[in-house]
Amino acid sequence: MAFSPTDSRLYGDLFSTTEMAAIFSDESAVQRMLQVEAALARVQARLGIIPPEAGARINTAAQTFQPDMDALAASTARVGFPVIELVRQLRAAAGPQAADYVHYGATTQDIMDTARVLQIRQALTELGAMLKDCIRALADLAGAHTATLMVARTPVSYTH
């Protein structure tokens, strides 16, 4: 799927990049939610909150199954967020032995907020790399033009 950095026909990609659009795409958001669900199950299994076998099944399912994005979109249109349908799909993928432990003790907001933070962390890494490139380019320009004569303008202050 091709990404459009914004939904604006006027501004298109003027305020974003293809990389940033991918980071904040629907597919990326869902993958981050699945990462959160997998991490939750692993930690809960390690702490004895859920059975270890259930944690392993949830972890594997969250990493391997492909969510039905159309069903997620339809559910989001009905309830305002994709987590309910995503949990339903993950429960089916994890199987009946682990289904009751998917999303155990978590809220929709827990999953969505943590997933968004993971996206933001990735975006900050991308922004850091872009900023380094920009600084490098500016330093190169400054170095290349240290002896270049330039016309200057000094603003005149008028007082009465």
Side-chain angles (χ1 to χ4, degrees):
M1 162 178 251
F3 297 107
S4 172
T6 70
D7 290 335
S8 173
R9 291 185 344 186
L10 298 177
Y11 299 108
D13 61 1
L14 290 176
F15 302 113
S16 187
T17 64
T18 302
E19 293 79 14
M20 284 296 181
I23 290 169
F24 290 103
S25 70
D26 292 342
E27 290 77 9
S28 175
V30 169
Q31 286 307 309
R32 296 299 177 265
M33 287 183 241
L34 288 169
Q35 287 177 346
V36 174
E37 293 286 0
L40 177 65
R42 286 192 309 271
V43 170
Q44 288 176 329
R46 187 172 58 234
L47 295 175
I49 297 169
I50 66 173
E53 313 80 48
R57 285 178 180 272
I58 295 165
N59 183 58
T60 299
Q63 292 180 32
T64 58
F65 99 99
Q66 293 299 314
D68 179 342
M69 296 298 287
D70 291 336
L72 289 175
S75 177
T76 302
R78 276 192 314 278
V79 299
F81 41 82
V83 177
I84 292 172
E85 176 61 21
L86 184 63
V87 168
R88 188 196 68 70
Q89 291 182 31
L90 183 55
R91 284 181 173 150
Q97 305 89 341
D100 289 343
Y101 300 104
V102 171
H103 197 75
Y104 191 78
T107 67
T108 293
Q109 210 60 51
D110 292 335
I111 302 306
M112 291 183 66
D113 289 350
T114 307
R116 181 65 62 173
V117 168
L118 293 174
Q119 288 176 292
I120 291 168
R121 284 177 61 187
Q122 187 179 359
L124 289 173
T125 299
E126 178 69 24
L127 285 172
M130 291 167 61
L131 185 56
K132 284 180 184 175
D133 290 345
C134 183
I135 290 168
R136 202 172 300 115
L138 290 172
D140 290 346
L141 280 171
H145 292 282
T146 55
T148 302
L149 297 177
M150 294 185 196
V151 176
R153 177 177 174 269
T154 304
V156 177
S157 175
Y158 295 99
T159 57
H160 293 308

